[in-house]
C-alpha cells in the first residue's frame, strides 16, 4: 500500500507542474488540431492527443507538454494495474478501479466529462470554445486522481490480511 501511495504522490506532483502549464497545453492542442484540419470535433480521447502529437506536432514546446500529459495518463494506467494486483477488491473498490481503467483507456470518449469543485481546471479555460473542446481532456487527470485517492482511502479501511503485497 505504501508503494501505491508513493506512486500516487509522484503523479500528483507531476500533475501540479502540468497544471501550471495548462494554457500551454491548450495552445498545443489548438495548434495540432489546426494542423490536423480538425477544428470542429472536441478532443475526445487520450488516443486523439497521442495522434495529434505523433502526426501534427511541429514544435518542441508543444511536443513536451503533450508528452507530459500522455506520460501522466500512462502512469495513471500503470497505477490502475498496481491497484488491481494489490487485493481482490470489494464491490466499492472494484467499481472505483473500473471507472479509473475506463477513464485512462486510450479510446475512451472524454468529451462529456467535467471536473467538479474543488477542481477549477475547466473554469480556467479562456472561452466557451475552449471549455467545449478541451473540458474533458483537462478534467481527466483530476477526476482519475480523485478516484484513486478514494480507492486508497477505502482500501485502508479493509482488514490488513485482505491486502496482498504489491511488488
Amino acid at each position: 500500500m505504501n508503494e501505491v501511495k508513493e506512486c500516487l504522490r509522484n503523479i500528483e506532483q507531476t500533475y501540479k507542474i502540468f497544471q501550471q502549464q495548462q494554457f500551454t497545453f491548450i495552445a498545443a492542442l489548438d495548434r495540432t488540431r489546426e494542423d490536423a484540419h480538425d477544428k470542429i470535433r472536441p478532443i475526445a480521447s487520450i488516443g486523439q492527443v497521442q495522434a495529434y502529437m505523433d502526426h501534427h506536432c511541429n514544435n518542441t514546446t508543444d511536443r513536451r507538454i503533450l508528452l507530459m500529459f500522455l506520460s501522466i495518463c500512462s502512469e495513471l494506467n500503470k497505477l490502475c494495474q498496481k491497484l488491481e494486483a494489490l487485493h481482490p477488491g470489494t464491490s466499492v473498490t472494484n467499481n472505483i478501479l473500473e471507472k479509473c481503467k475506463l477513464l485512462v483507456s486510450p479510446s475512451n470518449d472524454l468529451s462529456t466529462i467535467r471536473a467538479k469543485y474543488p477542481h477549477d481546471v475547466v473554469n480556467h479555460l479562456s472561452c466557451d470554445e475552449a471549455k467545449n473542446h478541451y473540458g474533458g481532456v483537462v478534467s481527466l487527470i483530476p477526476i482519475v486522481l480523485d478516484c484513486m485517492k478514494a480507492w486508497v482511502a477505502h482500501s485502508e479501511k479493509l482488514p490488513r490480511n485482505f491486502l496482498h503485497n504489491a511488488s
Side-chain angles (χ1 to χ4, degrees):
M1 186 59 102
N2 288 339
E3 182 184 338
V4 166
K5 287 181 184 178
E6 183 64 27
C7 189
L8 189 55
R9 267 192 300 275
N10 291 340
I11 294 169
E12 286 179 306
Q13 290 304 314
T14 305
Y15 175 64
K16 284 180 184 176
I17 295 166
F18 175 79
Q19 200 174 16
Q20 294 168 352
Q21 302 174 46
Q22 180 173 303
F23 292 115
T24 305
F25 178 60
I26 296 302
L29 288 174
D30 202 45
R31 279 189 287 277
T32 55
R33 286 176 69 228
E34 180 86 36
D35 290 348
H37 305 291
D38 192 15
K39 294 287 280 183
I40 296 171
R41 304 186 293 155
I43 305 290
S45 69
I46 297 168
Q48 192 177 3
V49 174
Q50 180 76 53
Y52 286 155
M53 189 187 79
D54 291 345
H55 304 292
H56 304 286
C57 189
N58 298 318
N59 75 53
T60 54
T61 301
D62 290 354
R63 183 169 300 282
R64 180 193 52 78
I65 195 68
L66 294 176
L67 194 58
M68 186 179 216
F69 171 80
L70 293 168
S71 174
I72 293 170
C73 292
S74 174
E75 290 301 312
L76 289 169
N77 198 6
K78 288 176 191 171
L79 186 53
C80 283
Q81 293 167 8
K82 280 185 185 180
L83 297 180
E84 202 164 34
L86 193 57
H87 68 75
T90 64
S91 61
V92 173
T93 58
N94 286 339
N95 287 339
I96 294 169
L97 187 56
E98 285 306 311
K99 181 178 179 181
C100 289
K101 286 169 34 180
L102 176 67
L103 287 169
V104 297
S105 167
S107 59
N108 183 45
D109 185 355
L110 307 171
S111 59
T112 59
I113 67 168
R114 294 295 181 273
K116 305 273 190 275
Y117 180 82
H119 304 292
D120 55 1
V121 290
V122 178
N123 295 338
H124 285 288
L125 298 178
S126 60
C127 65
D128 190 46
E129 179 186 290
K131 285 181 184 178
N132 291 328
H133 284 90
Y134 308 118
V137 78
V138 299
S139 296
L140 173 66
I141 297 170
I143 289 172
V144 174
L145 286 172
D146 283 352
C147 288
M148 289 186 169
K149 287 183 215 170
W151 187 96
V152 168
H154 189 79
S155 294
E156 286 182 323
K157 295 175 188 170
L158 297 173
R160 288 266 180 228
N161 61 354
F162 201 75
L163 301 175
H164 299 298
N165 187 0
S167 45

